[in-house]
Amino acid sequence: MIGRRPTHRIIDVHAHLGPYSLFFIPEPDAATMVAVMDLTGTDVTVLSANRAIQQDAHLGNSQSLAAVDAHPGRIAAYAVINPWQDPERELERLAADERFVGIKVHPTLHRYPVTGARYAAVWEFAESTGCPVLSHSEHQSPYDAPAMFQTVAERYPGAAVMLGHAGITPAGVAEAIEAASRYESLWLEVCGSQMTGPMISAMVDQVGSGRVLFGSDFPFIDQRMSLGRVVCAPLTESQRQDVLSGNARKLFRWRPLPGERGVDETDE
């Protein structure tokens, strides 16, 4: 893609920032990520800081905002809500700061079920404001198995919830597809080490291209490899563009500044 305009517009809705305690990630900084985005033709990446997910939501969310400020129009931030760390405080911060475009929760790492009362404030906020939520989802997890999100959708039908990794495993993807087929508020996000083009095609065929989103898990997984799965998946060009950026442009609460390269930029 170097030296020519990419064929598709791309928004990556699932990425991370900074070091991770469970394994080594080389160059997990925002500047390196933007350099890779330039190679792949990715307009915007929406990320959450690993510090926010693993240790301190407030401090980590500040790190995400610093990345937004350093790379305006290219990096966007999730506000991570940890159910054990005063979730209402971070929701108030999110409501007051337009640099946050969505919410990130990770029930498995936080060891708290997505259906639990401590997440109620998240779903209520999402339903009342239209702010989307990206949640980790994992097959057979007692905290965020895809089927558990059906309970969330029943209780909060107006909350847009993205099932990160779509359950991870082939069996998890099948479970995620079933849940999203039943509830229009549930969206499927395609990153994961076990994801394949045919699995992405199955999501589009059974749920529709209008509720499937490209995410890479960058830099846990190389963005170029994750992108290749969508680019080479057996989709129509219209379906592919929905997944790569069209759906994200409609779902998130974008507020890019005038003159910046961002999601409101008119196609030439």
Side-chain angles (χ1 to χ4, degrees):
M1 290 186 179
I2 299 175
R4 64 182 178 88
R5 184 183 177 86
T7 303
H8 302 95
R9 306 301 299 272
I10 301 166
I11 297 174
D12 186 341
V13 306
H14 190 156
H16 297 277
L17 175 72
Y20 188 58
S21 70
L22 300 182
F23 51 79
F24 173 68
I25 306 172
E27 299 182 308
D29 59 286
T32 300
M33 295 174 74
V34 170
V36 174
M37 291 165 58
D38 288 341
L39 296 178
T40 62
T42 299
D43 289 333
V44 182
T45 291
V46 191
L47 56 74
S48 54
N50 289 319
R51 175 69 64 98
I53 295 171
Q54 286 201 297
Q55 297 167 317
D56 186 322
H58 188 80
L59 176 59
N61 288 337
S62 295
Q63 292 177 341
S64 295
L65 292 182
V68 174
D69 291 341
H71 304 279
R74 306 301 306 283
I75 297 293
Y78 288 109
V80 173
I81 306 299
N82 185 325
W84 303 109
Q85 295 180 359
D86 197 357
E88 287 80 6
R89 179 187 66 170
E90 288 306 294
L91 287 170
E92 290 176 1
R93 183 185 187 191
L94 161 67
D97 197 323
E98 295 183 349
R99 291 174 295 175
F100 289 116
V101 301
I103 296 169
K104 173 65 184 281
V105 296
H106 203 307
T108 288
L109 276 180
H110 294 154
R111 296 187 176 274
Y112 187 77
V114 72
T115 53
R118 287 178 176 269
Y119 279 126
V122 170
W123 312 128
E124 291 167 1
F125 183 92
E127 190 167 49
S128 65
T129 64
C131 182
V133 182
L134 173 65
S135 176
H136 180 84
S137 68
E138 185 173 339
H139 184 52
Q140 296 184 328
S141 168
Y143 306 108
D144 52 29
M148 296 175 70
F149 289 89
Q150 296 184 72
T151 300
V152 175
E154 287 271 4
R155 294 175 182 170
Y156 307 95
V161 184
M162 297 169 278
L163 276 60
H165 314 293
I168 298 180
T169 67
V173 169
E175 185 181 341
I177 288 173
E178 182 177 0
S181 296
R182 293 181 178 181
Y183 296 95
E184 292 186 357
S185 60
L186 301 181
W187 300 60
L188 302 179
E189 182 274 313
V190 304
C191 75
S193 58
Q194 299 185 46
M195 190 59 61
T196 65
M199 289 163 67
I200 295 169
S201 179
M203 295 183 205
V204 169
D205 289 343
Q206 297 180 54
V207 177
S209 65
R211 280 191 289 130
V212 181
L213 298 149
F214 168 63
S216 67
D217 219 13
F218 182 40
F220 289 165
I221 301 173
D222 193 302
Q223 189 186 54
R224 290 161 286 195
M225 183 170 68
S226 295
L227 179 60
R229 292 172 177 148
V230 179
V231 171
C232 297
L235 305 174
T236 68
E237 287 309 298
S238 176
Q239 291 170 336
R240 201 180 325 277
Q241 193 55 65
D242 282 347
V243 175
L244 288 176
S245 71
N247 296 330
R249 290 175 187 276
K250 291 182 272 187
L251 181 62
F252 284 85
R253 52 179 214 169
W254 305 109
R255 296 185 181 94
L257 298 175
E260 292 178 349
R261 178 182 179 182
V263 297
D264 66 342
E265 187 179 66
T266 301
D267 288 345
E268 296 174 357

